[in-house]
Amino acid sequence: MMRVVLLGGGYVTVHAYRSLVRRLGREVREGRVEIVVVSADDAHSFHGFTGEVLAGLLPYERTRTPLQEACPLARFVHARVLAVDPVARSVTYEHIADGVVELLWFDHLVVGTGAQEPVDGVPGLREHGYTLRAPGGIAALTQAVHALARTARDDRSTGSTADPAATSVVVAGGGLAGAEMAAAVADLGGGTLAVTLVHAGERIVPELRADQPALAARTERELARAGVVVRTGTRLTAVTPDGAHLDDGTFLPAAVVLGTVGQAPVPLPGLGSTQDERGRLVTAPDLSVTGDVWAGGDAARVVRPGTDAPVPANALWAIKTGAHVGDNVARAIAGRATRPFTYRGLGRAASFGLGRSVAELYGVGFTGAVAWVLRLVFFLRFMPSRRRALAVLGDLTSRRGTSASREADPLRAKVEVSLS
Ligand SMILES: Cc1cc2nc3c(=O)[nH]c(=O)nc-3n(C[C@H](O)[C@H](O)[C@H](O)COP(=O)(O)OP(=O)(O)OC[C@H]3O[C@@H](n4cnc5c(N)ncnc54)[C@H](O)[C@@H]3O)c2cc1C
């Protein structure tokens, strides 16, 4: 029997699994090939809808698909990987439930453990702040901002003037993720939460600025419309229980500080010699790292076909690299030659509320309702569960009402859908 071990429960794993089953389904069903998924999270998180979750437009659980459901023919091990031995071809992991440490042999290993924010670079961020990629990070952040919105709404309805810090949120990092999250929190508050976006560079969304300046400008306008205060040219230096310290000497009192301060691959001891200076596993054109170890997504450095530059760390590339790795592992198992990764890209998108997005598709920029629909279609197409994708579509297209009531019950709340 051959064993393929998939590390992580994100986009790389789910799409590698699908490719493997498409090519080797019979062997898997007959027990000649075993697929094992080892993940610290027992569900696949569809990160793209995090803004909608924060804004109270979607329940958090809607964005999560249990891995057993997403990968039904695989054996699922709910565990944190501690180390990989590429020579002995083994993985050491610790079960989440009881801490028991075990070793598993592999014939092929696919690394899809993604990346996390380098929290240690900002004192206090781990203890007093929030990040998006830490285990449970999105759930904790959602709970915190929804509680703030409730407090702010209660204060408004009783006419009491609470300490402004108690209804203030600081988002550090003005990339697309930070901009989306700031807009989502402001949207949730409906004017009752004070949201500040802090960015170290001169202008926010640098990833759009160079080749899509109109989309970058639209992003700035969307934040202004949502009432987000943008502070550029200053960076977050420390987080305390009361707020955020910036490197220009300012202290911003806040009840919630979110750090979207870059990302670094999850370290996997044993694979150090195959990493670049940023900790990404360096892949060959067929996405192998060594003969039997493969990688994709945020954990990997994959050269964008036709260029010398690495592909961006986002869901599209994680999906496409994961699917390609699955194909090549199946080819290797069948004794066939592997193929180089040739995918050249599609685009990117971000959303700032219902009907309000920016999107780039094959180099062409879109804004507003068209961009929102393009983004939604893309996301729904790649959700691991058809059932959940339909439920998300229903949630997002059937809402009417006002934003300030959403967080109380995201399932029943109604918000205005404006596609103008
Ligand atoms: C809040 C947020 C919003 C985003 N929005 C967008 C967007 O709108 N569009 C877009 O294209 N991209 C977006 N991204 C980026 C995109 O989600 C990532 O690029 C993508 O998830 C990378 O996929 P991956 O499979 O490499 O890793 P992930 O999807 O991050 O999966 C990694 C998996 O590995 C598991 N894991 C980690 N360490 C271990 C360990 N030691 N042992 C076992 N398991 C482990 C994790 O639990 C997780 O299951 C967003 C990311 C975030 C966090």
Side-chain angles (χ1 to χ4, degrees), residues 8-12 40-41 47 50 79-81 112-114 132 297-298 314-315 318 379:
Y11 296 84
V12 169
D41 193 342
H47 293 140
T50 304
R80 194 165 62 86
V81 177
T113 39
L132 297 169
D298 291 3
N314 67 32
F379 279 9

Side-chain angles (χ1 to χ4, degrees), residues 87-110:
V87 178
R89 299 205 291 185
S90 68
V91 175
T92 307
Y93 55 75
E94 178 186 42
H95 286 273
I96 301 292
D98 52 17
V100 169
V101 174
E102 274 187 341
L103 194 96
L104 183 71
W105 307 102
F106 62 81
D107 293 290
H108 288 275
L109 180 74
V110 177

Side-chain angles (χ1 to χ4, degrees), residues 275-319:
Q275 292 169 350
D276 70 1
E277 70 293 345
R278 291 171 56 181
R280 297 173 295 191
L281 296 174
V282 177
T283 58
D286 66 355
L287 305 188
S288 60
V289 178
T290 67
D292 319 303
V293 178
W294 309 74
D298 291 3
R301 184 184 195 281
V302 173
V303 173
R304 187 173 189 152
T307 75
D308 292 331
V311 303
N314 67 32
L316 172 69
W317 292 97
I319 288 166

